[in-house]
Amino acid sequence: MPSLPWDCWHFLKIKLVLYAMGCIQSISSKSKIFRESISVIDVKASIDPIPTSIDESSSVVLRYRTPHFRASAQVVVPPIPKKETWIVGWIQACSHMEFYNHYGEQGMSSWELPDLQTGKIQAISDSDGVNYPWYGNTTETCTIVGPTKRDSKFIISMNDNFYPSVTWAVPVSESNVAKLTSIYRDQSFTTWLVATNTATNDMVILQTLHWRMQLNIEVNPNRPLGQRAKLREPTAQEQPQILSKNEPIPPSALVKPNANDAQVLMWRPRDGQPLVVIPPKHR
């Protein structure tokens, strides 16, 4: 077979390169079209319009239960043309935490997130500690396995609140005498609705929410049990914000540790050095 002139080979190479580039561009374009076709029909977010409830039934601890933050969304995922898996769900991170329990003149205990406090990270994962990065894996996520021939339409939801116990007595003391005088808590969260391709880790942020929980309880330890604590302002919480422009997810919100495992309980006396009461589960 006669050999082709150099010009022909050169022209053929250019055509092959352009063809390959066209294929890549086509694949990339299809992927982009698919991602942009995932839609949120309806998203709702609220905090129950009720005050924090206080429980003084225990002689050892004061308990309180805050109203629930609730979020839900109706999502439509277009047909998935090939064998791949997408997960749609809620990811949440804590971006600010102040949590102080005052014991009069003696000092205060505080739950702290050191890396967040020092600014080392922008936010910390609020995952359930098992299904990173998701907030949970029941109503909080939906998994769609391709190929599918029609739209997948579903609702995913989540809720969150605080229900801690605070000792009446100074936590580093062997005394059982009630000394607690106040509780102050202020935490902020960002919650994202996200779709992720499990094979490629391609992540699409569908919606971003901001919410905050504030708490101020005044305590008179000299009063009888059941009559000590009183809820101060704010008794009603600010309602969540559904942002019109999505925010990126900080890398620390997607990986271990979560807030529960990273927090440390400190005792900060009025005089003297701080003490670690409960170390973090994950350093």
Side-chain angles (χ1 to χ4, degrees):
M1 188 174 77
S3 60
L4 290 171
W6 183 88
D7 286 350
C8 291
W9 279 116
H10 185 63
F11 178 70
L12 183 58
K13 283 181 182 179
I14 292 172
K15 284 196 70 175
L16 287 170
V17 169
L18 290 175
Y19 177 75
M21 289 176 65
C23 286
I24 292 167
Q25 186 177 17
S26 174
I27 292 167
S28 174
S29 177
K30 285 178 182 177
S31 178
K32 185 177 180 182
I33 290 169
F34 177 84
R35 295 198 312 267
E36 291 177 350
S37 298
I38 301 173
S39 60
V40 181
I41 297 175
D42 186 32
V43 61
K44 296 175 182 175
S46 65
I47 295 177
D48 294 347
I50 57 173
T52 293
S53 62
I54 300 172
D55 177 4
E56 292 188 38
S57 61
S58 168
S59 60
V60 179
V61 295
L62 176 152
R63 296 186 181 93
Y64 62 85
R65 190 191 297 270
T66 64
H68 280 80
F69 161 77
R70 303 179 192 274
S72 67
Q74 189 171 23
V75 181
V76 178
V77 175
I80 301 173
K82 52 187 177 178
K83 189 178 179 180
E84 58 184 23
T85 300
W86 284 79
I87 299 176
V88 180
W90 296 104
I91 294 173
Q92 181 164 281
C94 175
S95 56
H96 176 81
M97 183 170 88
E98 295 175 75
F99 188 175
Y100 308 125
N101 307 311
H102 293 271
Y103 292 85
E105 296 296 312
Q106 298 195 43
M108 70 175 186
S109 66
S110 63
W111 284 102
E112 301 174 9
L113 294 165
D115 285 352
L116 190 63
Q117 231 170 347
T118 59
K120 185 177 178 181
I121 57 174
Q122 183 183 343
I124 189 164
S125 167
D126 198 32
S127 161
D128 62 1
V130 178
N131 302 283
Y132 286 93
W134 308 107
Y135 183 76
N137 73 337
T138 53
T139 63
E140 299 88 359
T141 60
C142 182
T143 302
I144 308 100
V145 180
T148 57
K149 294 182 179 180
R150 55 180 64 87
D151 288 352
S152 300
K153 188 176 181 181
F154 49 88
I155 294 174
I156 47 175
S157 62
M158 63 165 286
N159 70 82
D160 191 10
N161 81 321
F162 309 146
Y163 185 36
S165 300
V166 182
T167 56
W168 291 111
V170 173
V172 295
S173 169
E174 293 183 3
S175 169
N176 292 324
V177 177
K179 294 291 183 180
L180 182 67
T181 52
S182 69
I183 298 170
Y184 175 81
R185 190 165 183 172
D186 186 356
Q187 276 184 259
S188 298
F189 298 88
T190 303
T191 308
W192 294 270
L193 180 61
V194 173
T196 301
N197 184 314
T198 60
T200 64
N201 291 322
D202 191 11
M203 184 175 283
V204 186
I205 299 174
L206 304 172
Q207 189 68 65
T208 309
L209 312 175
H210 281 174
W211 66 280
R212 180 184 184 187
M213 190 73 76
Q214 294 175 281
L215 178 78
N216 193 355
I217 297 175
E218 183 182 291
V219 182
N220 184 341
N222 299 317
R223 292 185 65 84
L225 188 65
Q227 302 174 27
R228 294 173 180 170
K230 187 178 291 186
L231 184 65
R232 295 301 188 189
E233 293 292 339
T235 54
Q237 301 296 323
E238 300 172 9
Q239 288 301 309
Q241 294 177 291
I242 301 174
L243 304 190
S244 56
K245 185 178 180 181
N246 284 320
E247 294 182 352
I249 304 177
S252 55
L254 301 172
V255 295
K256 296 181 179 182
N258 69 345
N260 285 341
D261 288 347
Q263 65 184 355
V264 55
L265 180 63
M266 299 293 299
W267 169 249
R268 298 189 176 277
R270 184 165 181 179
D271 300 308
Q273 293 298 311
L275 297 173
V276 175
V277 182
I278 301 176
K281 294 177 184 176
H282 187 289
R283 292 184 181 276

